[in-house]
mmCIF file with all atom_site columns, all heavy atoms in Angstrom:
data_model
loop_
_atom_site.group_PDB
_atom_site.id
_atom_site.type_symbol
_atom_site.label_atom_id
_atom_site.label_alt_id
_atom_site.label_comp_id
_atom_site.label_asym_id
_atom_site.label_entity_id
_atom_site.label_seq_id
_atom_site.pdbx_PDB_ins_code
_atom_site.Cartn_x
_atom_site.Cartn_y
_atom_site.Cartn_z
_atom_site.occupancy
_atom_site.B_iso_or_equiv
_atom_site.pdbx_formal_charge
_atom_site.auth_seq_id
_atom_site.auth_comp_id
_atom_site.auth_asym_id
_atom_site.auth_atom_id
_atom_site.pdbx_PDB_model_num
ATOM 1   N N   . VAL A 1 104 ? 54.928 -110.277 -137.231 1.00 98.00 ? 104 VAL A N   1
ATOM 2   C CA  . VAL A 1 104 ? 54.850 -111.725 -136.964 1.00 98.00 ? 104 VAL A CA  1
ATOM 3   C C   . VAL A 1 104 ? 56.213 -112.261 -136.518 1.00 98.00 ? 104 VAL A C   1
ATOM 4   O O   . VAL A 1 104 ? 56.326 -112.975 -135.522 1.00 98.00 ? 104 VAL A O   1
ATOM 5   C CB  . VAL A 1 104 ? 54.348 -112.487 -138.212 1.00 98.00 ? 104 VAL A CB  1
ATOM 6   C CG1 . VAL A 1 104 ? 54.325 -113.985 -137.950 1.00 98.00 ? 104 VAL A CG1 1
ATOM 7   C CG2 . VAL A 1 104 ? 52.972 -111.991 -138.634 1.00 98.00 ? 104 VAL A CG2 1
ATOM 8   N N   . VAL A 1 105 ? 57.263 -111.885 -137.271 1.00 98.00 ? 105 VAL A N   1
ATOM 9   C CA  . VAL A 1 105 ? 58.616 -112.357 -136.925 1.00 98.00 ? 105 VAL A CA  1
ATOM 10  C C   . VAL A 1 105 ? 59.008 -111.831 -135.541 1.00 98.00 ? 105 VAL A C   1
ATOM 11  O O   . VAL A 1 105 ? 59.498 -112.571 -134.685 1.00 98.00 ? 105 VAL A O   1
ATOM 12  C CB  . VAL A 1 105 ? 59.650 -111.904 -137.988 1.00 98.00 ? 105 VAL A CB  1
ATOM 13  C CG1 . VAL A 1 105 ? 61.062 -112.309 -137.582 1.00 98.00 ? 105 VAL A CG1 1
ATOM 14  C CG2 . VAL A 1 105 ? 59.310 -112.488 -139.355 1.00 98.00 ? 105 VAL A CG2 1
ATOM 15  N N   . HIS A 1 106 ? 58.757 -110.542 -135.334 1.00 98.00 ? 106 HIS A N   1
ATOM 16  C CA  . HIS A 1 106 ? 59.147 -109.905 -134.071 1.00 98.00 ? 106 HIS A CA  1
ATOM 17  C C   . HIS A 1 106 ? 58.503 -110.605 -132.872 1.00 98.00 ? 106 HIS A C   1
ATOM 18  O O   . HIS A 1 106 ? 59.177 -110.892 -131.878 1.00 98.00 ? 106 HIS A O   1
ATOM 19  C CB  . HIS A 1 106 ? 58.759 -108.418 -134.091 1.00 98.00 ? 106 HIS A CB  1
ATOM 20  C CG  . HIS A 1 106 ? 59.182 -107.677 -132.858 1.00 98.00 ? 106 HIS A CG  1
ATOM 21  N ND1 . HIS A 1 106 ? 60.296 -106.877 -132.809 1.00 98.00 ? 106 HIS A ND1 1
ATOM 22  C CD2 . HIS A 1 106 ? 58.654 -107.654 -131.595 1.00 98.00 ? 106 HIS A CD2 1
ATOM 23  C CE1 . HIS A 1 106 ? 60.433 -106.385 -131.578 1.00 98.00 ? 106 HIS A CE1 1
ATOM 24  N NE2 . HIS A 1 106 ? 59.440 -106.840 -130.834 1.00 98.00 ? 106 HIS A NE2 1
ATOM 25  N N   . GLU A 1 107 ? 57.193 -110.870 -132.971 1.00 98.00 ? 107 GLU A N   1
ATOM 26  C CA  . GLU A 1 107 ? 56.493 -111.462 -131.819 1.00 98.00 ? 107 GLU A CA  1
ATOM 27  C C   . GLU A 1 107 ? 57.059 -112.838 -131.461 1.00 98.00 ? 107 GLU A C   1
ATOM 28  O O   . GLU A 1 107 ? 57.222 -113.157 -130.298 1.00 98.00 ? 107 GLU A O   1
ATOM 29  C CB  . GLU A 1 107 ? 54.987 -111.559 -132.101 1.00 98.00 ? 107 GLU A CB  1
ATOM 30  C CG  . GLU A 1 107 ? 54.262 -110.210 -132.196 1.00 98.00 ? 107 GLU A CG  1
ATOM 31  C CD  . GLU A 1 107 ? 54.558 -109.249 -131.038 1.00 98.00 ? 107 GLU A CD  1
ATOM 32  O OE1 . GLU A 1 107 ? 54.786 -109.700 -129.899 1.00 98.00 ? 107 GLU A OE1 1
ATOM 33  O OE2 . GLU A 1 107 ? 54.596 -108.018 -131.295 1.00 98.00 ? 107 GLU A OE2 1
ATOM 34  N N   . LYS A 1 108 ? 57.354 -113.645 -132.505 1.00 98.00 ? 108 LYS A N   1
ATOM 35  C CA  . LYS A 1 108 ? 57.905 -114.991 -132.247 1.00 98.00 ? 108 LYS A CA  1
ATOM 36  C C   . LYS A 1 108 ? 59.266 -114.912 -131.565 1.00 98.00 ? 108 LYS A C   1
ATOM 37  O O   . LYS A 1 108 ? 59.544 -115.638 -130.610 1.00 98.00 ? 108 LYS A O   1
ATOM 38  C CB  . LYS A 1 108 ? 58.057 -115.768 -133.568 1.00 98.00 ? 108 LYS A CB  1
ATOM 39  C CG  . LYS A 1 108 ? 56.741 -116.147 -134.218 1.00 98.00 ? 108 LYS A CG  1
ATOM 40  C CD  . LYS A 1 108 ? 56.333 -117.555 -133.837 1.00 98.00 ? 108 LYS A CD  1
ATOM 41  C CE  . LYS A 1 108 ? 55.052 -117.924 -134.587 1.00 98.00 ? 108 LYS A CE  1
ATOM 42  N NZ  . LYS A 1 108 ? 54.435 -119.140 -134.059 1.00 98.00 ? 108 LYS A NZ  1
ATOM 43  N N   . VAL A 1 109 ? 60.116 -114.025 -132.079 1.00 98.00 ? 109 VAL A N   1
ATOM 44  C CA  . VAL A 1 109 ? 61.479 -113.940 -131.544 1.00 98.00 ? 109 VAL A CA  1
ATOM 45  C C   . VAL A 1 109 ? 61.463 -113.280 -130.160 1.00 98.00 ? 109 VAL A C   1
ATOM 46  O O   . VAL A 1 109 ? 62.141 -113.740 -129.236 1.00 98.00 ? 109 VAL A O   1
ATOM 47  C CB  . VAL A 1 109 ? 62.405 -113.183 -132.524 1.00 98.00 ? 109 VAL A CB  1
ATOM 48  C CG1 . VAL A 1 109 ? 63.818 -113.086 -131.964 1.00 98.00 ? 109 VAL A CG1 1
ATOM 49  C CG2 . VAL A 1 109 ? 62.424 -113.881 -133.876 1.00 98.00 ? 109 VAL A CG2 1
ATOM 50  N N   . ALA A 1 110 ? 60.654 -112.234 -130.020 1.00 98.00 ? 110 ALA A N   1
ATOM 51  C CA  . ALA A 1 110 ? 60.565 -111.547 -128.729 1.00 98.00 ? 110 ALA A CA  1
ATOM 52  C C   . ALA A 1 110 ? 60.036 -112.493 -127.642 1.00 98.00 ? 110 ALA A C   1
ATOM 53  O O   . ALA A 1 110 ? 60.486 -112.446 -126.496 1.00 98.00 ? 110 ALA A O   1
ATOM 54  C CB  . ALA A 1 110 ? 59.668 -110.317 -128.842 1.00 98.00 ? 110 ALA A CB  1
ATOM 55  N N   . ALA A 1 111 ? 59.107 -113.380 -128.020 1.00 98.00 ? 111 ALA A N   1
ATOM 56  C CA  . ALA A 1 111 ? 58.549 -114.335 -127.058 1.00 98.00 ? 111 ALA A CA  1
ATOM 57  C C   . ALA A 1 111 ? 59.639 -115.297 -126.567 1.00 98.00 ? 111 ALA A C   1
ATOM 58  O O   . ALA A 1 111 ? 59.689 -115.654 -125.381 1.00 98.00 ? 111 ALA A O   1
ATOM 59  C CB  . ALA A 1 111 ? 57.399 -115.121 -127.692 1.00 98.00 ? 111 ALA A CB  1
ATOM 60  N N   . TYR A 1 112 ? 60.522 -115.699 -127.487 1.00 98.00 ? 112 TYR A N   1
ATOM 61  C CA  . TYR A 1 112 ? 61.624 -116.583 -127.092 1.00 98.00 ? 112 TYR A CA  1
ATOM 62  C C   . TYR A 1 112 ? 62.546 -115.871 -126.102 1.00 98.00 ? 112 TYR A C   1
ATOM 63  O O   . TYR A 1 112 ? 62.903 -116.420 -125.061 1.00 98.00 ? 112 TYR A O   1
ATOM 64  C CB  . TYR A 1 112 ? 62.407 -117.036 -128.331 1.00 98.00 ? 112 TYR A CB  1
ATOM 65  C CG  . TYR A 1 112 ? 63.585 -117.904 -127.992 1.00 98.00 ? 112 TYR A CG  1
ATOM 66  C CD1 . TYR A 1 112 ? 63.396 -119.221 -127.557 1.00 98.00 ? 112 TYR A CD1 1
ATOM 67  C CD2 . TYR A 1 112 ? 64.891 -117.424 -128.062 1.00 98.00 ? 112 TYR A CD2 1
ATOM 68  C CE1 . TYR A 1 112 ? 64.479 -120.031 -127.223 1.00 98.00 ? 112 TYR A CE1 1
ATOM 69  C CE2 . TYR A 1 112 ? 65.969 -118.222 -127.731 1.00 98.00 ? 112 TYR A CE2 1
ATOM 70  C CZ  . TYR A 1 112 ? 65.758 -119.527 -127.315 1.00 98.00 ? 112 TYR A CZ  1
ATOM 71  O OH  . TYR A 1 112 ? 66.835 -120.314 -126.974 1.00 98.00 ? 112 TYR A OH  1
ATOM 72  N N   . PHE A 1 113 ? 62.920 -114.637 -126.433 1.00 98.00 ? 113 PHE A N   1
ATOM 73  C CA  . PHE A 1 113 ? 63.800 -113.886 -125.527 1.00 98.00 ? 113 PHE A CA  1
ATOM 74  C C   . PHE A 1 113 ? 63.113 -113.612 -124.191 1.00 98.00 ? 113 PHE A C   1
ATOM 75  O O   . PHE A 1 113 ? 63.742 -113.678 -123.137 1.00 98.00 ? 113 PHE A O   1
ATOM 76  C CB  . PHE A 1 113 ? 64.236 -112.565 -126.180 1.00 98.00 ? 113 PHE A CB  1
ATOM 77  C CG  . PHE A 1 113 ? 65.326 -112.738 -127.204 1.00 98.00 ? 113 PHE A CG  1
ATOM 78  C CD1 . PHE A 1 113 ? 65.153 -112.294 -128.500 1.00 98.00 ? 113 PHE A CD1 1
ATOM 79  C CD2 . PHE A 1 113 ? 66.522 -113.353 -126.854 1.00 98.00 ? 113 PHE A CD2 1
ATOM 80  C CE1 . PHE A 1 113 ? 66.170 -112.452 -129.440 1.00 98.00 ? 113 PHE A CE1 1
ATOM 81  C CE2 . PHE A 1 113 ? 67.542 -113.519 -127.786 1.00 98.00 ? 113 PHE A CE2 1
ATOM 82  C CZ  . PHE A 1 113 ? 67.358 -113.065 -129.082 1.00 98.00 ? 113 PHE A CZ  1
ATOM 83  N N   . LYS A 1 114 ? 61.821 -113.335 -124.237 1.00 98.00 ? 114 LYS A N   1
ATOM 84  C CA  . LYS A 1 114 ? 61.083 -113.051 -123.002 1.00 98.00 ? 114 LYS A CA  1
ATOM 85  C C   . LYS A 1 114 ? 61.098 -114.278 -122.082 1.00 98.00 ? 114 LYS A C   1
ATOM 86  O O   . LYS A 1 114 ? 61.243 -114.156 -120.866 1.00 98.00 ? 114 LYS A O   1
ATOM 87  C CB  . LYS A 1 114 ? 59.636 -112.656 -123.352 1.00 98.00 ? 114 LYS A CB  1
ATOM 88  C CG  . LYS A 1 114 ? 58.922 -111.943 -122.210 1.00 98.00 ? 114 LYS A CG  1
ATOM 89  C CD  . LYS A 1 114 ? 57.511 -111.530 -122.607 1.00 98.00 ? 114 LYS A CD  1
ATOM 90  C CE  . LYS A 1 114 ? 56.744 -111.031 -121.385 1.00 98.00 ? 114 LYS A CE  1
ATOM 91  N NZ  . LYS A 1 114 ? 55.312 -110.874 -121.651 1.00 98.00 ? 114 LYS A NZ  1
ATOM 92  N N   . SER A 1 115 ? 60.969 -115.469 -122.700 1.00 97.00 ? 115 SER A N   1
ATOM 93  C CA  . SER A 1 115 ? 60.962 -116.704 -121.901 1.00 97.00 ? 115 SER A CA  1
ATOM 94  C C   . SER A 1 115 ? 62.313 -116.913 -121.219 1.00 97.00 ? 115 SER A C   1
ATOM 95  O O   . SER A 1 115 ? 62.412 -117.635 -120.233 1.00 97.00 ? 115 SER A O   1
ATOM 96  C CB  . SER A 1 115 ? 60.612 -117.906 -122.782 1.00 97.00 ? 115 SER A CB  1
ATOM 97  O OG  . SER A 1 115 ? 61.693 -118.213 -123.642 1.00 97.00 ? 115 SER A OG  1
ATOM 98  N N   . ALA A 1 116 ? 63.366 -116.278 -121.745 1.00 97.00 ? 116 ALA A N   1
ATOM 99  C CA  . ALA A 1 116 ? 64.693 -116.373 -121.128 1.00 97.00 ? 116 ALA A CA  1
ATOM 100 C C   . ALA A 1 116 ? 64.990 -115.144 -120.256 1.00 97.00 ? 116 ALA A C   1
ATOM 101 O O   . ALA A 1 116 ? 66.097 -114.989 -119.757 1.00 97.00 ? 116 ALA A O   1
ATOM 102 C CB  . ALA A 1 116 ? 65.754 -116.511 -122.215 1.00 97.00 ? 116 ALA A CB  1
ATOM 103 N N   . GLY A 1 117 ? 63.987 -114.282 -120.083 1.00 98.00 ? 117 GLY A N   1
ATOM 104 C CA  . GLY A 1 117 ? 64.119 -113.143 -119.182 1.00 98.00 ? 117 GLY A CA  1
ATOM 105 C C   . GLY A 1 117 ? 64.683 -111.879 -119.806 1.00 98.00 ? 117 GLY A C   1
ATOM 106 O O   . GLY A 1 117 ? 65.155 -110.992 -119.086 1.00 98.00 ? 117 GLY A O   1
#
Side-chain angles (χ1 to χ4, degrees):
V104 178
V105 176
H106 183 101
E107 292 311 328
K108 291 265 184 193
V109 180
Y112 178 72
F113 282 124
K114 198 178 171 191
S115 72

